[in-house]
């Protein structure tokens, strides 16, 4: 378990690289809301967009999740708990006016980046506005 990374995974780094090359700036592994003990992989504070890159195993991907053979009840409960927490996080953030973008680790990073850019464009009003999401505005 100690070898499983909780942050800076390859899918996260690829997504960040694409978004950064487009001039977008964001906070990494940050709490979107200070009073909510949950962190998003990428946070665009000005636009209020939180991005989560979910691992297929840990979040129960419908395409790739395969149940554990050993201690199956423990792992089933763990994955279901993660899914419940994810849904609760989505709900809480949306109630506070945030847009939540969730992508699976297996998704093409370019397509994942397009989802993020689309969410930013919608929040900021235009595609050109997303280029203005800079480190200074964070």
């Amino acid at each position: 378990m100690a070898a499983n990374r909780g942050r800076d995974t390859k899918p996260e780094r690829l997504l960040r690289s694409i978004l950064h090359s487009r001039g977008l700036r964001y906070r990494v592994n940050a709490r979107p809301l200070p009073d909510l003990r949950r962190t998003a992989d990428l946070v665009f504070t000005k636009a209020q967009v939180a991005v989560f890159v979910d691992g297929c195993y840990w979040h129960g991907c419908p395409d790739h999740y395969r149940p554990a053979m050993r201690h199956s009840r423990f792992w089933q409960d763990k994955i279901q708990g993660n899914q419940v927490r994810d849904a609760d996080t989505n709900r809480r953030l949306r109630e506070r006016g945030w847009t939540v973008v969730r992508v699976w680790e297996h998704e093409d990073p370019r397509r994942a980046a397009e989802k993020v850019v689309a969410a930013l464009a919608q929040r900021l009003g235009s595609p050109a506005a997303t280029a203005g999401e800079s480190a200074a505005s964070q």
Side-chain angles (χ1 to χ4, degrees), residues 20-138:
H20 192 274
S21 71
R22 291 180 136 186
L24 298 172
R25 301 298 179 258
Y26 42 80
R27 296 184 183 274
V28 176
N29 205 30
R31 289 183 183 182
L33 302 171
D35 58 334
L36 182 63
R37 287 193 55 212
R38 314 243 170 102
T39 59
D41 297 308
L42 302 173
V43 177
F44 296 87
T45 54
K46 179 181 174 187
Q48 290 190 319
V49 174
V51 181
F52 297 87
V53 181
D54 293 337
C56 290
Y57 181 78
W58 299 106
H59 296 269
C61 171
D63 296 332
H64 298 108
Y65 174 71
R66 298 293 175 261
M69 299 305 281
R70 290 180 169 222
H71 309 289
S72 60
R73 187 77 205 150
F74 169 83
W75 288 110
Q76 181 181 4
D77 292 346
K78 171 72 173 156
I79 302 308
Q80 286 176 347
N82 289 348
Q83 292 171 330
V84 168
R85 186 186 63 241
D86 292 345
D88 181 59
T89 300
N90 293 349
R91 180 187 56 77
R92 288 178 183 217
L93 288 172
R94 288 181 179 134
E95 285 174 353
R96 302 272 295 267
W98 283 71
T99 295
V100 177
V101 178
R102 286 197 177 266
V103 296
W104 290 108
E105 70 176 331
H106 68 263
E107 286 186 54
D108 180 290
R110 292 176 302 265
R111 285 193 178 163
E114 290 304 321
K115 287 182 184 180
V116 174
V117 169
L120 289 169
Q122 184 178 25
R123 293 295 299 216
L124 297 173
S126 72
T130 61
E133 179 82 10
S134 66
S137 67
Q138 299 293 308

